[in-house]
Amino acid sequence: MGEKMLVFEGITKIFNQGTQDEKRALNQIDFDINAGDYITIIGSNGAGKSTLLNVIAGTYPPEEGRLIIDQQDVTKMPDYKMAAYLSRVFQSPTMGTAGKMTIAENLSLAECRGKKRGLKWGVTRARKKRYGELLKVLELGLEDRLNQSVGLLSGGQRQSLTLLMATLSLPKLLLLDEHTAALDPRTAAKVSELTDRMVAENNLTTLMVTHNMKQAIRCGNRMIMLHEGKVQFDIKGKDKESLTVEEVVKRFGAKLKDESLLA
Amino acid sequence: MVVLSVLPISLQQGLAYALVALGIALTFRVLAFPDLTVDGSFPLGGAVAARLIVQGVDPILSTLAALVAGFIAGCLTGILNTRLKINSLLAGILMMTILYSVNLRIMARANIQLLYRPTVFTSMENMDVVRFIPIIIFFFVITVFVKILVDLFLHTEYGMALRATGDNEDMIRSLGVNTDNATIFGLGLSNAMVALSGALVAQDQGFADVGMGIGMIVAGLASIIIGEAIIKPKTVFRLTLAAVAGSVMYRFIISLGLRLGLAPTDLKMATGFMVILALGVPAFKKTREGKDHLRGV
């Protein structure tokens, strides 16, 4: 512990640079994350939460700054190469799985994340057996449906599967982009619980973007609030544990006022 | 009687053109990439093989060279699309148009005769049986062999990445696959099969012609659609089986139509109507299944 897993050095992301629609989605962001941290990120619409994850994942290269993962400068790395370091779970259940392919095939695709894919058989018998055992943990009965298309699953089932896929070969960094937002409340609670369990069991360094203040406070050991592309509020450890929604609203509201006064 | 009399010719042609249907299934269905290179890469295969055979090169070697030429043509379409960001349909049309000139260059004229030249079929023609029997067997073996090879490939780690590229590109990119390269490779593979078909068809019919590829995509699509109507393409195995079976059935329908008085000049129009009908009906029904079914078209 205590080792830095992810370092942001003055990261700036500008959309539509040089046009009327220019927008600074991230403005000189600096912070670092220790190995094993489970961080929740909140903020209002347009605060830069998703942009932050997309910059980490290499989907949007930043205009300024450096991004370092596990002591390696990965600022200029294309998205598909970043797969060697991280796995992502997206908001929409359909985004994280290939619907026409079977459950076993999807798991096999995920198992090869960031590795070289050759002409070896994809879904071997040994793999299938292991996937069956892993799927039992989800308690969704998917272990008996390995050869079925993922397209036949419900949103909650698909998202649970995506989560399992994300942790199948352990990433250095797990990025969760509002991954429970598209689910009904009961399913969302189940997936959220599953997330906490998987993160804890594997001691994963995790960043979770969420719109849900309660979830942001309940989960993880550190919370970051973004506002207009800047880190507004960063709370960890004991302070985070004793944090309440009322307190955040109080402090966040005050900050907002300050901002508006300054502006 | 009529049905029986067109059977050998439809089997022979259906199996010969099945490789085109397989290639089209790979791009349209697996990669969800509507590749129109086919109309150019089919005669490319014929042109390369014919020219080399006339030059005195071994027919098998000439056929393999045709396959490689097709692979390169497909890769180039892929490069136009992924690297130069040219729309997939336009990239195919550009390549098809360019290949027309290239094919004329390769052949140095519009048509090369292969009668009295050694071809891969020469030894079969010397057999003491009706010509079409060994030739049908030959095309059957080649087609089944290629079909199984494609099936196996699409279940390997890289083959699955290729399927995922057509299914959910963002997802497979986030899992570390360079989908641009996967698309380029897939197109290469598809057009290699198409060119192989072109090379074999040219040798079978005894000539290569610069116009032999016209309408090849539409015919291939018609084959796939007919095949999928009978064999639901739920798995890779069934998808490729549908392509092969569809190709034979399509040629059967066409041969039957010709025998019953369809003018050869109206052939492409009839095929076109067939495809329009098959694509149009689900749009009327507006079923979800119908939508899924038409991926890549």
Side-chain angles (χ1 to χ4, degrees):
Chain A
M1 283 294 147
E3 217 165 287
K4 287 188 173 54
M5 184 54 86
L6 175 76
V7 182
F8 269 71
E9 277 181 17
I11 292 275
T12 298
K13 176 68 208 170
I14 307 168
F15 288 112
N16 304 315
Q17 196 166 17
T19 70
Q20 280 185 326
D21 301 323
E22 184 172 303
K23 183 175 183 331
R24 256 171 207 269
L26 295 177
N27 198 355
Q28 295 288 332
I29 299 248
D30 284 294
F31 65 82
D32 38 60
I33 290 168
N34 294 327
D37 269 354
Y38 180 2
I39 297 167
T40 56
I41 300 170
I42 55 167
S44 46
N45 284 326
K49 306 182 301 283
S50 288
T51 310
L52 188 81
L53 287 200
N54 278 320
V55 165
I56 298 172
T59 314
Y60 302 149
E63 266 67 40
E64 288 167 29
R66 285 202 322 152
L67 181 69
I68 294 153
I69 294 181
D70 204 16
Q71 279 134 45
Q72 263 187 296
D73 190 330
V74 295
T75 318
K76 295 221 159 64
M77 219 175 248
D79 53 355
Y80 63 89
K81 283 198 180 153
M82 290 304 292
Y85 299 91
L86 50 88
S87 48
R88 290 184 84 171
V89 182
F90 301 96
Q91 180 173 354
S92 158
T94 52
M95 275 177 80
T97 42
K100 302 235 174 220
M101 298 174 73
T102 66
I103 294 177
E105 283 171 339
N106 271 277
L107 284 161
S108 164
L109 286 172
E111 188 169 353
C112 297
R113 178 176 51 76
K115 298 185 190 124
K116 215 168 157 46
R117 286 161 209 262
L119 293 180
K120 272 184 290 179
W121 197 250
V123 183
T124 57
R125 202 166 290 175
R127 277 186 176 169
K128 235 179 178 171
K129 195 162 163 251
R130 201 158 69 81
Y131 296 158
E133 277 156 21
L134 287 168
L135 284 165
K136 271 189 199 140
V137 179
L138 301 183
E139 293 168 6
L140 293 168
L142 297 183
E143 60 272 17
D144 303 320
R145 301 171 66 182
L146 277 170
N147 291 329
Q148 281 187 20
S149 299
V150 169
L152 299 170
L153 304 184
S154 71
Q157 288 172 329
R158 255 178 117 150
Q159 204 66 327
S160 305
L161 175 65
T162 312
L163 210 60
L164 187 66
M165 285 164 61
T167 53
L168 195 53
S169 75
L170 289 180
K172 287 189 194 298
L173 210 58
L174 175 64
L175 306 181
L176 307 168
D177 192 354
E178 295 191 51
H179 71 303
T180 59
L183 306 173
D184 67 82
R186 255 187 71 197
T187 319
K190 275 190 83 173
V191 170
S192 183
E193 182 198 319
L194 182 70
T195 309
D196 290 352
R197 207 165 77 209
M198 285 185 160
V199 170
E201 268 171 22
N202 302 303
N203 195 24
L204 285 171
T205 313
T206 306
L207 273 105
M208 176 167 80
V209 163
T210 175
H211 245 110
N212 184 333
M213 185 90 80
K214 268 190 200 144
Q215 192 182 20
I217 289 169
R218 186 175 49 77
C219 301
N221 62 343
R222 182 173 168 189
M223 185 177 93
I224 288 173
M225 186 184 288
L226 288 177
H227 184 65
E228 291 179 347
K230 278 184 171 295
V231 175
Q232 180 81 190
F233 185 48
D234 186 348
I235 187 164
K236 51 190 143 185
K238 283 242 149 50
D239 298 336
K240 164 82 163 59
E241 277 169 36
S242 58
L243 199 66
T244 61
V245 175
E246 291 74 34
E247 201 185 332
V248 175
V249 170
K250 225 166 94 190
R251 286 177 72 174
F252 188 41
K255 271 279 186 191
L256 255 183
K257 240 185 218 161
D258 279 0
E259 280 290 338
S260 356
L261 281 174
L262 285 168
Chain B
M1 255 342 267
V2 181
V3 174
L4 274 180
S5 70
V6 297
L7 216 51
I9 183 72
S10 18
L11 256 180
Q12 183 182 337
Q13 292 204 331
L15 290 169
Y17 289 96
L19 295 173
V20 177
L22 274 174
I24 292 177
L26 186 63
T27 49
F28 277 69
R29 292 294 193 242
V30 175
L31 280 175
F33 188 111
D35 176 34
L36 303 187
T37 315
V38 176
D39 273 23
S41 57
F42 184 80
L44 173 69
V48 169
R51 177 65 195 263
L52 288 175
I53 286 171
V54 169
Q55 299 279 336
V57 178
D58 176 72
I60 294 176
L61 224 60
S62 309
T63 308
L64 290 177
L67 189 129
V68 173
F71 183 81
I72 294 169
C75 288
L76 287 174
T77 304
I79 288 168
L80 291 184
N81 175 245
T82 58
R83 302 273 191 267
L84 305 184
K85 309 289 174 210
I86 295 173
N87 168 287
S88 54
L89 283 170
L90 186 57
I93 291 172
L94 283 170
M95 205 56 215
M96 177 214 293
T97 309
I98 291 167
L99 282 175
Y100 188 82
S101 299
V102 171
N103 292 339
L104 281 170
R105 280 248 174 219
I106 291 171
M107 295 199 289
R109 60 190 151 200
N111 189 298
I112 291 183
Q113 293 294 320
L114 289 173
L115 296 170
Y116 314 116
R117 300 273 180 188
T119 69
V120 292
F121 300 102
T122 305
S123 56
M124 296 169 218
E125 276 155 3
N126 296 334
M127 281 181 196
D128 200 17
V129 283
V130 196
R131 184 180 183 271
F132 68 74
I133 292 174
I135 291 194
I136 288 175
I137 294 171
F138 172 83
F139 275 126
F140 180 79
V141 170
I142 291 269
T143 301
V144 169
F145 178 71
V146 173
K147 179 218 178 305
I148 291 172
L149 225 55
V150 171
D151 286 348
L152 291 177
F153 170 68
L154 289 177
H155 283 97
T156 62
E157 287 177 353
Y158 194 71
M160 288 198 336
L162 220 73
R163 282 159 65 201
T165 300
D167 195 337
N168 188 345
E169 189 172 346
D170 289 336
M171 171 254 195
I172 195 67
R173 264 186 100 79
S174 82
L175 290 178
V177 173
N178 183 341
T179 50
D180 289 356
N181 288 352
T183 303
I184 294 168
F185 183 72
L187 287 173
L189 220 55
S190 160
N191 284 287
M193 288 190 265
V194 173
L196 172 63
S197 179
L200 293 176
V201 166
Q203 293 175 66
D204 177 32
Q205 68 190 9
F207 65 92
D209 188 276
V210 72
M212 69 194 270
I214 296 173
M216 203 47 67
I217 293 156
V218 179
L221 271 180
S223 305
I224 291 177
I225 290 165
I226 294 169
E228 288 179 353
I230 293 165
I231 301 160
K232 282 260 172 289
K234 280 181 280 191
T235 60
V236 170
F237 179 85
R238 293 174 68 106
L239 177 78
T240 51
L241 186 67
V244 174
S247 175
V248 174
M249 281 183 274
Y250 166 74
R251 294 290 158 180
F252 178 72
I253 294 169
I254 292 297
S255 308
L256 203 62
L258 288 173
R259 194 60 65 90
L260 295 176
L262 176 72
T265 42
D266 291 336
L267 205 69
K268 296 204 191 304
M269 185 165 67
T271 307
F273 285 147
M274 226 191 271
V275 174
I276 290 172
L277 197 73
L279 296 184
V281 168
F284 267 113
K285 285 189 190 161
K286 276 191 178 155
T287 55
R288 224 190 96 74
E289 200 193 357
K291 250 181 165 170
D292 282 350
H293 196 59
L294 301 177
R295 192 153 69 109
V297 176

